[in-house]
Structure formats: structure tokens, C-alpha cells
């Protein structure tokens, strides 16, 4: 009886229907699986079904992320070469030591994925915004590079944490102050490709990562206080 009901729903309901059966049909097609009617005629064991779905979904999104990455400039510093199917990005596997450390993650994630709203981004989103200049120093366009590395209004906060970060990096053989801005940003936003090429230990990566999370969060808080008063 259940199979008959399912067949009827799949036949009667059009693709615009909010029916659960239609939603399942769309999902199966999205992931290039068999049609729903095929599974009604060929029941699959639960364990086999689960493993097949998991593998298919992971493959789909792994390929999609890699293919879409070049189209989004905001993702320039997000490394995908070290992604593992079904697992979070290696950068975010580093444990947080406290509630404050946990609170720092969203800010870094927004900057890493290009969703942090700086002035250069606001003018692309809001018609009444016409000036990309930094609201803190008014000297240059407020880009990610300017915000993290150059804004003079954030200099004191930046230098204090960067001094400690530079010392750690120097001890690892990375002369941070001699790097290009793009290379500095890569280390601050996502050190994993550098860690791979330099064969850094997990402990060293974690140490640098916690410092850069702290740096970005402190810059974010300082910016918010100045802009929002």
C-alpha cells in the first residue's frame, strides 16, 4: 500500500509541488542518483543506502567547491587542496581553549570566505554607499589587506599581537616581515598550505593559528567600537 501511495504521489504531483515525494525526487536528481521509482522497484539495504548516499553527497560537494572556488574572489585565501570528504577544513579542527577562543572563529571564517562586510564590499551591496574608503583612517579603500595589515587606526592592536606572531614564525624559519602582503594574509587567514610546504608540526600550526585568530578578533572589536561608537 505504501509503495502504491508513493507511486501515485510521484506521478500526480508536479515539480512545483511542496510534496515530500517531489522533494525527494529533486534531491535524487541533484546528486545524479536513480529515479525514485527505481528505488521502489529495487529496494536497497539500509547500510548500503546510507554509505552510497554519504559517498555521493561528499563527492558532489567536494567537486562543486573546487569548481566554484575560482569564481569567488573572496575565497582566494581558502585552501581546498587539503580538504577531506566529510570532514571540516583542517584549519578549524584546531581545538579552542576557551569560550573566547570559540567566539573568535566566526570572524576569521567570514574574512576567509569573503563575507565580512568591509567598506569596499558595502558599496557593491548597497546603492546608498558610494565611498570604499576605510571609515577608520580614510586613507585607502577598506579591503581585507588594508584592514588586517595597514589601517593606521588599528596599528597599536595589530603590532602588539603581530610581534608575538612574528617571533613564533621566525622560530619556524618563516621571515614574516619579508613576505609580500598576499603571503602575509595567507598565513594569517589560512596557514595550512604554508604548514604543508614547510612541514610544520601540528603544535606549531596550532600556536600560530591561535595567535592569528586573536589578532583578527581584536582588530574586529576595535573596528566595531570606532565605527559604531
Amino acid at each position: 500500500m505504501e509503495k502504491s501511495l508513493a507511486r501515485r504521489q510521484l506521478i500526480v504531483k508536479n515539480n512545483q509541488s511542496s510534496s515530500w515525494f517531489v522533494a525527494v525526487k529533486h534531491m535524487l536528481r541533484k546528486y545524479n542518483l536513480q529515479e525514485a521509482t527505481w528505488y521502489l522497484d529495487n529496494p536497497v539495504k539500509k547500510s548500503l543506502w546510507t554509505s552510497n548516499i554519504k559517498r555521493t553527497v561528499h563527492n558532489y560537494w567536494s567537486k562543486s567547491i573546487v569548481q566554484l572556488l575560482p569564481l569567488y574572489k573572496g575565497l582566494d585565501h581558502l585552501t581546498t587542496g587539503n580538504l577531506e570528504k566529510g570532514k571540516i577544513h583542517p584549519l578549524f579542527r584546531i581545538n579552542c581553549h576557551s569560550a573566547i577562543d570559540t567566539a573568535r572563529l566566526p570572524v576569521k571564517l567570514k574574512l576567509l570566505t569573503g563575507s565580512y562586510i568591509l567598506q569596499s564590499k558595502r558599496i557593491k551591496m548597497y546603492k546608498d554607499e558610494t565611498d570604499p574608503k576605510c571609515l577608520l583612517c580614510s586613507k585607502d579603500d577598506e579591503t581585507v589587506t588594508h584592514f588586517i595589515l595597514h589601517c593606521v587606526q588599528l596599528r597599536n592592536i595589530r603590532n602588539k599581537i603581530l610581534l608575538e606572531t612574528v617571533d613564533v614564525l621566525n622560530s619556524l624559519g618563516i621571515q614574516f616581515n619579508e613576505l609580500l602582503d598576499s603571503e602575509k594574509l595567507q598565513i594569517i587567514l589560512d596557514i595550512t598550505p604554508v604548514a604543508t610546504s614547510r612541514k610544520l608540526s601540528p603544535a606549531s600550526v596550532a600556536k600560530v593559528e591561535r595567535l592569528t585568530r586573536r589578532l583578527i578578533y581584536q582588530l574586529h572589536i576595535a573596528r566595531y567600537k570606532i565605527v559604531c561608537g
Side-chain angles (χ1 to χ4, degrees):
M1 182 175 179
E2 289 83 358
K3 282 188 178 182
S4 298
L5 176 61
R7 289 183 192 281
R8 183 178 182 281
Q9 290 291 314
L10 290 168
I11 293 171
V12 172
K13 299 293 183 180
N14 61 42
N15 288 335
Q16 285 70 47
S17 171
S18 58
S19 166
W20 179 85
F21 292 94
V22 174
V24 169
K25 183 165 66 174
H26 289 324
M27 182 192 70
L28 292 172
R29 288 176 178 175
K30 176 176 181 175
Y31 293 111
N32 200 28
L33 293 163
Q34 298 286 353
E35 289 291 329
T37 51
W38 185 90
Y39 291 104
L40 289 174
D41 295 328
N42 303 274
V44 180
K45 289 184 178 180
K46 183 179 179 180
S47 58
L48 183 60
W49 167 257
T50 302
S51 62
N52 185 37
I53 287 294
K54 186 180 292 185
R55 182 176 61 254
T56 301
V57 171
H58 287 168
N59 286 338
Y60 175 89
W61 285 110
S62 294
K63 291 177 182 177
S64 295
I65 290 171
V66 172
Q67 290 171 354
L68 290 173
L69 191 64
L71 304 178
Y72 294 89
K73 188 171 178 58
L75 298 176
D76 283 350
H77 296 286
L78 178 64
T79 308
T80 58
N82 53 2
L83 286 178
E84 296 180 51
K85 297 172 185 177
K87 295 184 179 180
I88 63 173
H89 194 284
L91 188 68
F92 298 102
R93 292 182 206 162
I94 298 172
N95 293 332
C96 297
H97 283 172
S98 64
I100 294 177
D101 201 21
T102 302
R104 292 169 179 162
L105 276 175
V107 181
K108 184 164 199 177
L109 186 57
K110 285 182 179 180
L111 282 163
L112 188 57
T113 56
S115 56
Y116 190 91
I117 308 299
L118 295 167
Q119 199 61 17
S120 59
K121 189 177 182 68
R122 285 184 67 86
I123 64 169
K124 299 176 183 178
M125 298 174 62
Y126 305 107
K127 292 181 179 179
D128 57 338
E129 294 284 352
T130 58
D131 190 357
K133 285 284 190 297
C134 175
L135 297 177
L136 280 63
C137 68
S138 302
K139 290 189 174 182
D140 295 301
D141 290 359
E142 192 184 35
T143 61
V144 174
T145 302
H146 175 80
F147 169 57
I148 294 178
L149 297 176
H150 299 307
C151 180
V152 294
Q153 290 295 324
L154 301 173
R155 181 189 297 153
N156 291 338
I157 293 172
R158 180 188 303 112
N159 289 349
K160 182 179 179 181
I161 303 174
L162 266 186
L163 278 174
E164 188 177 351
T165 308
V166 169
D167 285 343
V168 173
L169 290 170
N170 286 345
S171 70
L172 298 173
I174 301 172
Q175 304 303 313
F176 184 82
N177 291 329
E178 297 177 9
L179 300 176
L180 299 174
D181 281 354
S182 59
E183 295 171 319
K184 291 178 180 178
L185 271 185
Q186 185 64 65
I187 288 175
I188 291 172
L189 292 174
D190 181 5
I191 193 176
T192 54
V194 178
T196 301
S197 63
R198 297 274 185 154
K199 298 181 179 179
L200 302 181
S201 69
S204 298
V205 174
K207 192 171 185 179
V208 175
E209 173 58 18
R210 292 191 181 102
L211 284 168
T212 56
R213 287 180 189 177
R214 180 176 154 219
L215 168 66
I216 287 173
Y217 186 71
Q218 292 299 326
L219 292 175
H220 161 72
I221 293 298
R223 179 184 184 274
Y224 181 82
K225 287 180 179 178
I226 296 172
V227 172
C228 300

